[in-house]
Amino acid sequence: MKYLSLLILVVQNSALVLVMRQSRHFEPRYATSTAVALSELSKLFICLYMHARDEFRTKGRIQPGEIFSEIFGRDAWKLMIPAGLYTLQNNLQYVAVTLLDAATFQVTYQLKILTTALCTVIILRRSLSAKKWFSLVLLTIGVILVQIKTDISDDVEKSSQRLLGLATVVCACVLSGLAGVYFEKILKGTRASLWVRNIQLSFFSLFPAFFLGILWMDGESVMSNGFWYGYNIYTFMAIACQACGGIIVAMVVKYADNILKGFATSISIIVSSLCSIYLFDFHVTFVFIIGSSLVIYSSYIYGLDDSKKPVTYQPMKNTENNEFTLKIEDSRPSA
């Protein structure tokens, strides 16, 4: 389940970057807050269906009152914090895609790996070895190298838009690290099912998505042009990818951890770049190959288990036949 969820996340993130960027090319442009709200609403219905199906399989019946009590229990309020952070992050992500070219956005957005690692150490009290920190540095360098050629071929953004876009990406990365680690802490410290937590997360996300996003940020545009103004087929594809992505991310942090999620997202950049060869006439360069190798190698380094210490082999002399044999000792401390 761990590696399957990571694989699905790679595919989902690759498709999301392509369709989200493509959806913002068309004029007139849609209100991004409406897309965020629809993705959360879609995720809410998907998780409700999955939870009801599991209830029917285990109990042979579906009791709406029992499901309602389980969803809105006394600890449901804990999901309000990551719900608000995720909603703001998703809106900033759309804004950054609009302001920046695809390469600059993808490279800069990988700062969320470092912010997630820092939040993991601070919030979850989890220590990272020097090898893992080194792999994080390698990953960042590799992702930057992968995107160098694409950055050269893209149009130059206006300086004001570029600065605003970079600031938006940095804010989104910080929010991503905080929300992801906080959600991981809730998931691994509760008995509630994964679907219940996702229902709670989607439900509480609807309030900031509607009041802060649709009414406050894009209220004038929605009131004058309508909710569906500027929508195209790629907009609906982006909404679907985001709706499924929230569920996949929850599965990853449940069965793996947030930093592995970050590595899967980074690998998806390579996949999306390879798809761009056929879709957008992307040319593979030597720098791209080097960067891809660094990303794959850093993922391998991070996946190594630091808890397993090396086994030592000590020669022992056999006094009976004057021969040497190997004595295998486990260097880990005994209980």
Coordinates of all heavy atoms in Angstrom, one line a residue, residues 14-23 25-26 102-103 106 149-150 153-154 234 271-284:
S14 N 1.9 14.6 -11.8 CA 2.3 14.9 -13.2 C 1.2 15.4 -14.0 O 1.3 16.4 -14.8 CB 2.9 13.6 -13.8 OG 3.9 13.1 -13.0
A15 N 0.0 14.8 -13.9 CA -1.1 15.3 -14.7 C -1.6 16.6 -14.2 O -2.0 17.5 -15.0 CB -2.3 14.2 -14.6
L16 N -1.6 16.9 -12.9 CA -2.1 18.1 -12.3 C -1.3 19.3 -12.8 O -1.9 20.3 -13.2 CB -2.0 18.1 -10.8 CG -2.5 19.3 -10.1 CD1 -3.9 19.6 -10.4 CD2 -2.3 19.2 -8.6
V17 N 0.0 19.2 -12.9 CA 0.8 20.3 -13.4 C 0.5 20.7 -14.8 O 0.4 21.8 -15.2 CB 2.3 20.0 -13.2 CG1 3.2 21.1 -13.9 CG2 2.7 19.9 -11.7
L18 N 0.4 19.6 -15.6 CA 0.1 19.9 -17.1 C -1.3 20.5 -17.3 O -1.4 21.5 -18.0 CB 0.2 18.5 -17.8 CG 1.6 17.9 -17.8 CD1 1.6 16.5 -18.5 CD2 2.7 18.8 -18.5
V19 N -2.3 19.9 -16.7 CA -3.7 20.4 -17.0 C -3.9 21.8 -16.3 O -4.7 22.6 -16.8 CB -4.7 19.4 -16.6 CG1 -4.6 18.1 -17.4 CG2 -4.7 19.1 -15.1
M20 N -3.3 22.0 -15.1 CA -3.5 23.2 -14.4 C -2.9 24.4 -15.2 O -3.5 25.5 -15.4 CB -2.9 23.2 -13.0 CG -3.2 24.4 -12.2 SD -2.4 24.4 -10.6 CE -3.4 23.1 -9.8
R21 N -1.7 24.2 -15.7 CA -1.0 25.2 -16.5 C -1.8 25.5 -17.8 O -1.9 26.6 -18.2 CB 0.4 24.8 -16.8 CG 1.2 25.8 -17.6 CD 1.3 27.1 -16.9 NE 2.0 28.1 -17.7 CZ 2.1 29.4 -17.4 NH1 1.5 29.9 -16.4 NH2 2.8 30.2 -18.2
Q22 N -2.2 24.4 -18.4 CA -3.0 24.5 -19.7 C -4.3 25.2 -19.5 O -4.7 26.0 -20.4 CB -3.2 23.1 -20.3 CG -3.8 23.1 -21.7 CD -2.9 23.7 -22.8 OE1 -1.7 23.8 -22.5 NE2 -3.4 24.1 -23.9
S23 N -5.0 25.0 -18.4 CA -6.3 25.6 -18.2 C -6.2 27.1 -18.0 O -7.1 27.9 -18.2 CB -6.9 25.0 -16.9 OG -6.2 25.4 -15.7
H25 N -4.2 29.1 -19.8 CA -3.8 29.7 -21.0 C -4.9 30.3 -21.8 O -4.7 31.2 -22.6 CB -3.1 28.6 -21.9 CG -1.7 28.4 -21.7 ND1 -0.7 29.5 -21.7 CD2 -0.9 27.3 -21.4 CE1 0.5 29.0 -21.4 NE2 0.4 27.7 -21.2
F26 N -6.1 29.8 -21.5 CA -7.3 30.3 -22.3 C -7.9 31.6 -21.7 O -7.8 31.8 -20.5 CB -8.4 29.2 -22.3 CG -8.0 27.9 -23.0 CD1 -7.4 26.9 -22.3 CD2 -8.1 27.8 -24.4 CE1 -7.0 25.7 -23.0 CE2 -7.8 26.7 -25.0 CZ -7.2 25.6 -24.3
A102 N 6.0 27.8 -16.2 CA 5.8 26.5 -15.6 C 7.1 26.0 -14.9 O 7.1 25.4 -13.8 CB 5.4 25.5 -16.7
A103 N 8.3 26.3 -15.6 CA 9.5 25.8 -15.0 C 9.9 26.5 -13.7 O 10.2 25.8 -12.7 CB 10.7 26.1 -16.0
Q106 N 7.5 25.1 -10.9 CA 7.8 23.8 -10.5 C 9.1 23.7 -9.7 O 9.1 23.0 -8.7 CB 8.0 22.9 -11.7 CG 6.6 22.6 -12.4 CD 6.8 21.6 -13.6 OE1 7.9 21.3 -14.0 NE2 5.7 21.1 -14.1
K149 N 16.7 24.0 -18.6 CA 16.5 24.1 -20.1 C 15.1 24.7 -20.3 O 14.9 25.5 -21.2 CB 16.7 22.8 -20.7 CG 16.4 22.8 -22.2 CD 17.4 23.7 -22.9 CE 17.2 23.7 -24.4 NZ 15.9 24.2 -24.9
T150 N 14.1 24.2 -19.6 CA 12.8 24.7 -19.8 C 12.7 26.2 -19.4 O 12.0 27.0 -20.1 CB 11.8 23.9 -18.8 OG1 12.0 22.5 -19.1 CG2 10.3 24.3 -19.1
S153 N 13.7 28.4 -22.4 CA 12.9 28.5 -23.5 C 11.6 29.2 -23.3 O 10.8 29.5 -24.2 CB 12.5 27.0 -24.0 OG 11.9 26.3 -23.0
D154 N 11.2 29.5 -22.0 CA 10.0 30.2 -21.7 C 10.1 31.7 -21.9 O 11.2 32.2 -21.9 CB 9.6 29.9 -20.3 CG 9.0 28.5 -20.2 OD1 8.5 28.0 -21.1 OD2 9.1 27.9 -19.1
Y234 N -10.0 21.7 -19.5 CA -8.8 21.5 -18.7 C -9.0 22.0 -17.2 O -8.4 21.5 -16.3 CB -7.6 22.3 -19.3 CG -7.2 21.8 -20.6 CD1 -7.6 22.4 -21.8 CD2 -6.4 20.6 -20.7 CE1 -7.2 22.0 -23.0 CE2 -6.0 20.1 -22.0 CZ -6.4 20.8 -23.1 OH -6.0 20.3 -24.3
V271 N 8.5 13.1 -14.7 CA 7.5 12.4 -15.5 C 6.7 13.4 -16.4 O 6.5 13.2 -17.6 CB 6.5 11.7 -14.6 CG1 5.4 11.0 -15.5 CG2 7.2 10.6 -13.8
S272 N 6.4 14.6 -15.8 CA 5.7 15.6 -16.6 C 6.6 16.2 -17.6 O 6.1 16.6 -18.7 CB 5.2 16.7 -15.6 OG 6.2 17.3 -15.0
S273 N 7.9 16.3 -17.3 CA 8.8 16.8 -18.4 C 8.9 15.8 -19.5 O 9.0 16.2 -20.7 CB 10.2 17.0 -17.7 OG 10.1 18.0 -16.7
L274 N 9.0 14.5 -19.2 CA 9.0 13.5 -20.3 C 7.7 13.6 -21.1 O 7.8 13.4 -22.4 CB 9.2 12.1 -19.7 CG 10.6 11.9 -19.0 CD1 10.6 10.5 -18.4 CD2 11.7 12.0 -20.0
C275 N 6.6 13.8 -20.5 CA 5.3 13.9 -21.2 C 5.3 15.1 -22.1 O 4.7 15.2 -23.2 CB 4.2 13.9 -20.3 SG 3.9 12.4 -19.4
S276 N 6.1 16.2 -21.7 CA 6.1 17.4 -22.4 C 6.9 17.2 -23.7 O 6.8 18.1 -24.6 CB 6.8 18.5 -21.6 OG 6.0 18.8 -20.4
I277 N 7.7 16.2 -23.8 CA 8.4 15.9 -25.1 C 7.4 15.7 -26.2 O 7.6 16.2 -27.3 CB 9.3 14.7 -24.9 CG1 10.4 15.0 -23.9 CG2 10.0 14.3 -26.2 CD1 11.3 13.8 -23.6
Y278 N 6.3 15.0 -25.9 CA 5.3 14.7 -26.9 C 4.2 15.8 -27.0 O 3.7 16.0 -28.1 CB 4.7 13.3 -26.7 CG 5.7 12.2 -26.6 CD1 6.2 11.7 -25.4 CD2 6.2 11.6 -27.8 CE1 7.1 10.7 -25.3 CE2 7.1 10.6 -27.7 CZ 7.6 10.1 -26.5 OH 8.5 9.1 -26.4
L279 N 4.0 16.4 -25.9 CA 2.9 17.4 -25.8 C 3.3 18.8 -26.2 O 2.6 19.5 -26.9 CB 2.2 17.4 -24.4 CG 1.6 16.1 -24.0 CD1 1.1 16.2 -22.5 CD2 0.5 15.7 -24.9
F280 N 4.5 19.2 -25.7 CA 4.9 20.6 -25.9 C 6.3 20.7 -26.6 O 7.0 21.7 -26.5 CB 5.0 21.3 -24.6 CG 3.7 21.2 -23.8 CD1 3.6 20.5 -22.6 CD2 2.5 21.8 -24.3 CE1 2.5 20.4 -21.9 CE2 1.4 21.7 -23.6 CZ 1.3 21.0 -22.4
D281 N 6.8 19.6 -27.3 CA 8.0 19.6 -28.0 C 9.2 20.0 -27.1 O 10.1 20.8 -27.4 CB 7.9 20.6 -29.2 CG 9.1 20.4 -30.2 OD1 9.6 19.2 -30.2 OD2 9.4 21.3 -30.9
F282 N 9.3 19.3 -26.0 CA 10.4 19.5 -25.0 C 11.6 18.7 -25.5 O 11.5 17.6 -25.9 CB 9.9 19.1 -23.6 CG 11.0 19.2 -22.6 CD1 11.3 20.5 -22.0 CD2 11.7 18.1 -22.1 CE1 12.3 20.6 -21.1 CE2 12.7 18.2 -21.2 CZ 13.0 19.5 -20.6
H283 N 12.8 19.3 -25.4 CA 14.0 18.7 -25.8 C 14.8 18.3 -24.6 O 15.2 19.1 -23.8 CB 14.8 19.6 -26.7 CG 14.1 20.0 -28.0 ND1 13.9 19.2 -29.1 CD2 13.4 21.2 -28.3 CE1 13.2 19.8 -30.0 NE2 12.9 21.0 -29.6
V284 N 15.2 17.0 -24.5 CA 16.0 16.5 -23.4 C 17.4 16.9 -23.6 O 18.0 16.7 -24.7 CB 15.9 14.9 -23.4 CG1 16.7 14.4 -22.2 CG2 14.4 14.5 -23.1

